[in-house]
Amino acid sequence: MKSAMNHSCLLCILVLLPALCHCQDLFTPSRATYYGSPYCYGTPTGACGYGEYGRTIDGYVTGVSRLYRNGSGCGACYQVRCTEPQCTGEGAYVMVTDYGEGDRTDFILSTRSYAKMAKPDDYQTKQLFAYGVVEVEFRRVPCRYPGQNLLVSVNEHSRNPSYLAIILLYVAGTNDVTAAEYWQDDYQGWKRMRRVYGAMFDTQTPPRGELYLRFQVGGSWVYPKRAFPADWKAGAVYDSQVQLN
């Protein structure tokens, strides 16, 4: 009897497992449009606070509405493909760098991203742009930055030692950055930084001396392999010496 029950449970697992794996690959139907910008790279004043970061990923960026999630959705990567006859089956792979609302759209793509969804033919591309808004389907995919470490960019408005604002760059994988903290010696503990907007975290009481940071990515804490210098500077970018998967 026990053997039959075990066999039955195993059969259920074997049946359900492919279905669960398949669900992770499913696309969600939605709509997308595009916005113009110089050189088609997206806007440097985007709501995530990345500035010109879109240029480093060839301008394949997007603004989102409900996927923005109060800024925690910044940096997420998606595969977006349209369903018109002019579209490819692959679509575009884009990273969230901005917030934007359209006509029942989830994505407001850079023009480079929008054009990437079309078949490689000028006529097909022009037709796709003529629609203005298109039906799409999307799914979240891992962000991939081969050989690139997680970087900590100090915002230009930071002032050592009275104000520190940072943004993380090259956050690989499919996990959101949900928190940032710094070590406070006199407190003997970690202190939470405030999410200002988008992907930016700040504190008006940065510690003096070397700067030890940690970041919550998904359900785990990520620790840079060394402290950042006590004389950290606004506009500087520091290497965490950590690569995310």
Side-chain angles (χ1 to χ4, degrees):
M1 180 67 174
K2 183 181 289 187
S3 176
M5 288 178 64
N6 289 342
H7 178 75
S8 177
C9 290
L10 179 60
L11 181 61
C12 288
I13 292 171
L14 291 175
V15 169
L16 287 173
L17 187 58
L20 291 173
C21 294
H22 178 70
C23 287
Q24 296 174 0
D25 295 329
L26 289 179
F27 285 83
T28 301
S30 185
R31 286 157 59 87
T33 186
Y34 64 93
Y35 61 92
S37 64
Y39 311 109
C40 310
Y41 282 95
T43 171
T45 57
C48 288
Y50 288 127
E52 297 286 354
Y53 180 53
R55 291 180 177 275
T56 68
I57 51 177
D58 295 328
Y60 293 113
V61 297
T62 184
V64 294
S65 51
R66 65 186 178 93
L67 297 172
Y68 184 74
R69 301 193 306 278
N70 294 320
S72 65
C74 290
C77 294
Y78 293 92
Q79 180 185 5
V80 184
R81 62 188 189 189
C82 52
T83 58
E84 304 294 343
Q86 295 81 12
C87 303
T88 67
E90 186 73 5
Y93 292 85
V94 297
M95 192 191 88
V96 175
T97 60
D98 202 354
Y99 177 88
E101 296 183 9
D103 179 13
R104 294 177 289 117
T105 61
D106 274 310
F107 296 91
I108 302 183
L109 301 165
S110 67
T111 49
R112 288 174 70 88
S113 302
Y114 192 86
K116 186 71 173 177
M117 295 193 299
K119 293 176 180 176
D121 175 271
D122 287 345
Y123 178 72
Q124 306 280 11
T125 303
K126 288 178 181 178
Q127 279 196 315
L128 196 63
F129 274 100
Y131 288 129
V133 178
V134 291
E135 302 293 324
V136 299
E137 50 187 18
F138 72 91
R139 63 179 177 180
R140 187 161 183 181
V141 295
C143 296
R144 302 188 188 281
Y145 308 109
Q148 178 65 62
N149 290 345
L150 177 70
L151 301 182
V152 180
S153 175
V154 180
N155 183 264
E156 61 186 6
H157 297 298
S158 298
R159 294 291 180 270
N160 193 344
S162 59
Y163 179 69
L164 172 65
I166 61 169
I167 283 182
L168 302 186
L169 305 177
Y170 301 108
V171 181
T174 56
N175 293 313
D176 299 332
V177 179
T178 54
E181 296 183 345
Y182 62 92
W183 178 261
Q184 188 79 42
D185 264 339
D186 54 5
Y187 175 75
Q188 280 299 293
W190 293 97
K191 297 196 72 173
R192 184 66 58 99
M193 300 179 75
R194 176 185 65 145
R195 186 187 290 275
V196 190
Y197 68 90
M200 186 180 298
F201 296 90
D202 79 348
T203 176
Q204 295 183 349
T205 57
R208 296 179 182 273
E210 290 186 318
L211 188 61
Y212 292 88
L213 299 173
R214 70 176 185 175
F215 313 104
Q216 192 169 39
V217 183
S220 304
W221 287 100
V222 174
Y223 295 80
K225 290 188 177 179
R226 64 181 181 185
F228 299 119
D231 63 342
W232 54 264
K233 294 176 174 57
V237 178
Y238 298 101
D239 191 339
S240 72
Q241 297 188 336
V242 172
Q243 287 187 23
L244 301 180
N245 297 318

